[in-house]
Amino acid sequence: NNGSVDLYHNNSKKLETTSSGITVTGTVSDSKGNLRSIPAKDQGGASQYTLIASDAGKTILRYGGGLTIPASVFSTGDAVTIINASGSDITLTQGSGITIYNAADASTGNRTLAGRGMATIWFPGSSSGYISGAGLS
């Protein structure tokens, strides 16, 4: 059948491969969930939150308090989106040993994320990141 492969479960086709690609019926997921969605992690509260490796590929919701971006946690290609779900500014702190570049002007250092603002950090390695977003200064 031209090298195509089909996978069935309960007499229903779930996966089909052809020379033009792969077709999946149903949800495509991995350890973080549905690949068609961006998982959200609620990190509300007034205390400072420090990003951890498992935050890669997620949206972090903050309702107050700041957020620290640490060194030696993320790998090349990792990304984290931060949403300020409060009406007040929060501070995004550049941790020791990491350089966070503002994609708008190449400046480095701590950032302010305005109320209801949203920013994404992409990491080219464990000691730097590039941040951009709405409400970011």
Side-chain angles (χ1 to χ4, degrees), residues 84 88-93 102 109-115 117 119 131 134-137:
N84 182 354
S88 301
D89 293 354
I90 63 171
T91 299
L92 307 180
T93 303
N102 185 340
N110 297 344
R111 297 278 152 235
T112 299
L113 187 58
I131 190 168
L136 186 67
S137 60

PDB file of all heavy atoms in Angstrom, residues 84 88-93 102 109-115 117 119 131 134-137:
ATOM      1  N   ASN A  84       0.476  38.655  33.246  1.00  0.00           N
ATOM      2  CA  ASN A  84       0.159  39.383  34.469  1.00  0.00           C
ATOM      3  C   ASN A  84      -1.362  39.472  34.526  1.00  0.00           C
ATOM      4  O   ASN A  84      -1.979  40.304  33.874  1.00  0.00           O
ATOM      5  CB  ASN A  84       0.796  40.771  34.464  1.00  0.00           C
ATOM      6  CG  ASN A  84       0.525  41.531  35.737  1.00  0.00           C
ATOM      7  OD1 ASN A  84      -0.229  41.078  36.600  1.00  0.00           O
ATOM      8  ND2 ASN A  84       1.120  42.703  35.864  1.00  0.00           N
ATOM      9  N   SER A  88      -2.156  45.448  38.353  1.00  0.00           N
ATOM     10  CA  SER A  88      -0.972  46.202  38.767  1.00  0.00           C
ATOM     11  C   SER A  88       0.273  45.657  38.090  1.00  0.00           C
ATOM     12  O   SER A  88       0.337  44.481  37.729  1.00  0.00           O
ATOM     13  CB  SER A  88      -0.782  46.101  40.280  1.00  0.00           C
ATOM     14  OG  SER A  88      -1.917  46.601  40.951  1.00  0.00           O
ATOM     15  N   ASP A  89       1.291  46.508  37.950  1.00  0.00           N
ATOM     16  CA  ASP A  89       2.562  46.098  37.370  1.00  0.00           C
ATOM     17  C   ASP A  89       3.233  45.029  38.227  1.00  0.00           C
ATOM     18  O   ASP A  89       3.066  45.009  39.456  1.00  0.00           O
ATOM     19  CB  ASP A  89       3.527  47.288  37.279  1.00  0.00           C
ATOM     20  CG  ASP A  89       3.076  48.356  36.299  1.00  0.00           C
ATOM     21  OD1 ASP A  89       2.066  48.143  35.591  1.00  0.00           O
ATOM     22  OD2 ASP A  89       3.742  49.404  36.246  1.00  0.00           O
ATOM     23  N   ILE A  90       3.989  44.145  37.585  1.00  0.00           N
ATOM     24  CA  ILE A  90       4.852  43.206  38.299  1.00  0.00           C
ATOM     25  C   ILE A  90       6.269  43.340  37.738  1.00  0.00           C
ATOM     26  O   ILE A  90       6.464  43.776  36.602  1.00  0.00           O
ATOM     27  CB  ILE A  90       4.371  41.741  38.216  1.00  0.00           C
ATOM     28  CG1 ILE A  90       4.372  41.217  36.779  1.00  0.00           C
ATOM     29  CG2 ILE A  90       3.018  41.570  38.877  1.00  0.00           C
ATOM     30  CD1 ILE A  90       4.116  39.711  36.660  1.00  0.00           C
ATOM     31  N   THR A  91       7.252  42.955  38.547  1.00  0.00           N
ATOM     32  CA  THR A  91       8.645  43.004  38.117  1.00  0.00           C
ATOM     33  C   THR A  91       9.114  41.618  37.722  1.00  0.00           C
ATOM     34  O   THR A  91       8.913  40.647  38.457  1.00  0.00           O
ATOM     35  CB  THR A  91       9.546  43.551  39.244  1.00  0.00           C
ATOM     36  OG1 THR A  91       9.119  44.869  39.566  1.00  0.00           O
ATOM     37  CG2 THR A  91      11.002  43.583  38.821  1.00  0.00           C
ATOM     38  N   LEU A  92       9.744  41.534  36.543  1.00  0.00           N
ATOM     39  CA  LEU A  92      10.376  40.310  36.075  1.00  0.00           C
ATOM     40  C   LEU A  92      11.861  40.499  36.330  1.00  0.00           C
ATOM     41  O   LEU A  92      12.513  41.343  35.708  1.00  0.00           O
ATOM     42  CB  LEU A  92      10.093  40.081  34.590  1.00  0.00           C
ATOM     43  CG  LEU A  92       8.617  40.109  34.175  1.00  0.00           C
ATOM     44  CD1 LEU A  92       8.481  39.875  32.680  1.00  0.00           C
ATOM     45  CD2 LEU A  92       7.819  39.092  34.965  1.00  0.00           C
ATOM     46  N   THR A  93      12.411  39.740  37.262  1.00  0.00           N
ATOM     47  CA  THR A  93      13.786  39.914  37.712  1.00  0.00           C
ATOM     48  C   THR A  93      14.731  39.000  36.946  1.00  0.00           C
ATOM     49  O   THR A  93      14.517  37.783  36.877  1.00  0.00           O
ATOM     50  CB  THR A  93      13.900  39.608  39.220  1.00  0.00           C
ATOM     51  OG1 THR A  93      12.999  40.474  39.919  1.00  0.00           O
ATOM     52  CG2 THR A  93      15.302  39.816  39.730  1.00  0.00           C
ATOM     53  N   ASN A 102      15.914  42.464  25.926  1.00  0.00           N
ATOM     54  CA  ASN A 102      14.625  42.954  25.465  1.00  0.00           C
ATOM     55  C   ASN A 102      14.684  42.985  23.940  1.00  0.00           C
ATOM     56  O   ASN A 102      15.530  43.688  23.363  1.00  0.00           O
ATOM     57  CB  ASN A 102      14.357  44.351  26.032  1.00  0.00           C
ATOM     58  CG  ASN A 102      12.986  44.867  25.697  1.00  0.00           C
ATOM     59  OD1 ASN A 102      12.342  44.396  24.768  1.00  0.00           O
ATOM     60  ND2 ASN A 102      12.530  45.852  26.441  1.00  0.00           N
ATOM     61  N   GLY A 109      18.474  43.400  31.768  1.00  0.00           N
ATOM     62  CA  GLY A 109      18.122  43.716  33.148  1.00  0.00           C
ATOM     63  C   GLY A 109      16.683  43.392  33.461  1.00  0.00           C
ATOM     64  O   GLY A 109      15.972  42.761  32.676  1.00  0.00           O
ATOM     65  N   ASN A 110      16.258  43.837  34.640  1.00  0.00           N
ATOM     66  CA  ASN A 110      14.886  43.601  35.092  1.00  0.00           C
ATOM     67  C   ASN A 110      13.897  44.299  34.170  1.00  0.00           C
ATOM     68  O   ASN A 110      14.213  45.317  33.538  1.00  0.00           O
ATOM     69  CB  ASN A 110      14.698  44.109  36.521  1.00  0.00           C
ATOM     70  CG  ASN A 110      15.571  43.377  37.503  1.00  0.00           C
ATOM     71  OD1 ASN A 110      16.106  42.306  37.229  1.00  0.00           O
ATOM     72  ND2 ASN A 110      15.727  43.957  38.673  1.00  0.00           N
ATOM     73  N   ARG A 111      12.678  43.770  34.115  1.00  0.00           N
ATOM     74  CA  ARG A 111      11.608  44.314  33.278  1.00  0.00           C
ATOM     75  C   ARG A 111      10.370  44.526  34.140  1.00  0.00           C
ATOM     76  O   ARG A 111      10.166  43.841  35.151  1.00  0.00           O
ATOM     77  CB  ARG A 111      11.237  43.351  32.149  1.00  0.00           C
ATOM     78  CG  ARG A 111      12.328  43.092  31.189  1.00  0.00           C
ATOM     79  CD  ARG A 111      12.405  44.232  30.157  1.00  0.00           C
ATOM     80  NE  ARG A 111      13.743  44.337  29.688  1.00  0.00           N
ATOM     81  CZ  ARG A 111      14.478  45.449  29.719  1.00  0.00           C
ATOM     82  NH1 ARG A 111      13.996  46.558  30.193  1.00  0.00           N
ATOM     83  NH2 ARG A 111      15.704  45.457  29.276  1.00  0.00           N
ATOM     84  N   THR A 112       9.541  45.430  33.692  1.00  0.00           N
ATOM     85  CA  THR A 112       8.229  45.632  34.290  1.00  0.00           C
ATOM     86  C   THR A 112       7.194  45.122  33.304  1.00  0.00           C
ATOM     87  O   THR A 112       7.239  45.446  32.112  1.00  0.00           O
ATOM     88  CB  THR A 112       7.979  47.125  34.589  1.00  0.00           C
ATOM     89  OG1 THR A 112       8.969  47.567  35.511  1.00  0.00           O
ATOM     90  CG2 THR A 112       6.596  47.355  35.169  1.00  0.00           C
ATOM     91  N   LEU A 113       6.258  44.312  33.815  1.00  0.00           N
ATOM     92  CA  LEU A 113       5.150  43.829  32.996  1.00  0.00           C
ATOM     93  C   LEU A 113       3.892  44.480  33.535  1.00  0.00           C
ATOM     94  O   LEU A 113       3.504  44.271  34.687  1.00  0.00           O
ATOM     95  CB  LEU A 113       5.052  42.301  33.059  1.00  0.00           C
ATOM     96  CG  LEU A 113       4.045  41.640  32.120  1.00  0.00           C
ATOM     97  CD1 LEU A 113       4.325  41.993  30.659  1.00  0.00           C
ATOM     98  CD2 LEU A 113       4.067  40.119  32.307  1.00  0.00           C
ATOM     99  N   ALA A 114       3.287  45.320  32.714  1.00  0.00           N
ATOM    100  CA  ALA A 114       2.102  46.082  33.113  1.00  0.00           C
ATOM    101  C   ALA A 114       0.932  45.161  33.433  1.00  0.00           C
ATOM    102  O   ALA A 114       0.887  44.001  33.003  1.00  0.00           O
ATOM    103  CB  ALA A 114       1.711  47.050  31.997  1.00  0.00           C
ATOM    104  N   GLY A 115      -0.020  45.699  34.196  1.00  0.00           N
ATOM    105  CA  GLY A 115      -1.241  44.967  34.497  1.00  0.00           C
ATOM    106  C   GLY A 115      -1.886  44.459  33.219  1.00  0.00           C
ATOM    107  O   GLY A 115      -1.992  45.186  32.247  1.00  0.00           O
ATOM    108  N   GLY A 117      -0.625  42.561  31.134  1.00  0.00           N
ATOM    109  CA  GLY A 117       0.381  42.404  30.086  1.00  0.00           C
ATOM    110  C   GLY A 117       0.764  40.943  29.893  1.00  0.00           C
ATOM    111  O   GLY A 117       0.485  40.075  30.722  1.00  0.00           O
ATOM    112  N   ALA A 119       4.152  38.533  28.176  1.00  0.00           N
ATOM    113  CA  ALA A 119       5.489  38.507  27.596  1.00  0.00           C
ATOM    114  C   ALA A 119       5.970  37.076  27.453  1.00  0.00           C
ATOM    115  O   ALA A 119       5.648  36.218  28.273  1.00  0.00           O
ATOM    116  CB  ALA A 119       6.456  39.297  28.468  1.00  0.00           C
ATOM    117  N   ILE A 131      13.262  38.440  25.451  1.00  0.00           N
ATOM    118  CA  ILE A 131      11.906  38.685  25.934  1.00  0.00           C
ATOM    119  C   ILE A 131      11.223  39.715  25.038  1.00  0.00           C
ATOM    120  O   ILE A 131      11.847  40.694  24.607  1.00  0.00           O
ATOM    121  CB  ILE A 131      11.907  39.128  27.426  1.00  0.00           C
ATOM    122  CG1 ILE A 131      10.485  39.143  27.991  1.00  0.00           C
ATOM    123  CG2 ILE A 131      12.624  40.457  27.610  1.00  0.00           C
ATOM    124  CD1 ILE A 131      10.443  39.280  29.512  1.00  0.00           C
ATOM    125  N   ALA A 134       3.543  42.497  25.128  1.00  0.00           N
ATOM    126  CA  ALA A 134       2.692  43.679  25.270  1.00  0.00           C
ATOM    127  C   ALA A 134       2.674  44.102  26.746  1.00  0.00           C
ATOM    128  O   ALA A 134       2.513  43.268  27.626  1.00  0.00           O
ATOM    129  CB  ALA A 134       1.270  43.362  24.802  1.00  0.00           C
ATOM    130  N   GLY A 135       2.899  45.375  26.984  1.00  0.00           N
ATOM    131  CA  GLY A 135       2.921  45.890  28.359  1.00  0.00           C
ATOM    132  C   GLY A 135       4.277  45.706  29.014  1.00  0.00           C
ATOM    133  O   GLY A 135       4.405  45.814  30.214  1.00  0.00           O
ATOM    134  N   LEU A 136       5.299  45.422  28.198  1.00  0.00           N
ATOM    135  CA  LEU A 136       6.642  45.164  28.713  1.00  0.00           C
ATOM    136  C   LEU A 136       7.482  46.439  28.615  1.00  0.00           C
ATOM    137  O   LEU A 136       7.548  47.070  27.576  1.00  0.00           O
ATOM    138  CB  LEU A 136       7.291  44.049  27.896  1.00  0.00           C
ATOM    139  CG  LEU A 136       8.637  43.541  28.361  1.00  0.00           C
ATOM    140  CD1 LEU A 136       8.502  42.835  29.706  1.00  0.00           C
ATOM    141  CD2 LEU A 136       9.222  42.596  27.329  1.00  0.00           C
ATOM    142  N   SER A 137       8.108  46.806  29.705  1.00  0.00           N
ATOM    143  CA  SER A 137       9.034  47.950  29.673  1.00  0.00           C
ATOM    144  C   SER A 137      10.248  47.636  30.533  1.00  0.00           C
ATOM    145  O   SER A 137      10.326  46.628  31.194  1.00  0.00           O
ATOM    146  CB  SER A 137       8.348  49.211  30.152  1.00  0.00           C
ATOM    147  OG  SER A 137       7.879  49.080  31.488  1.00  0.00           O
TER     148      SER A 137
END
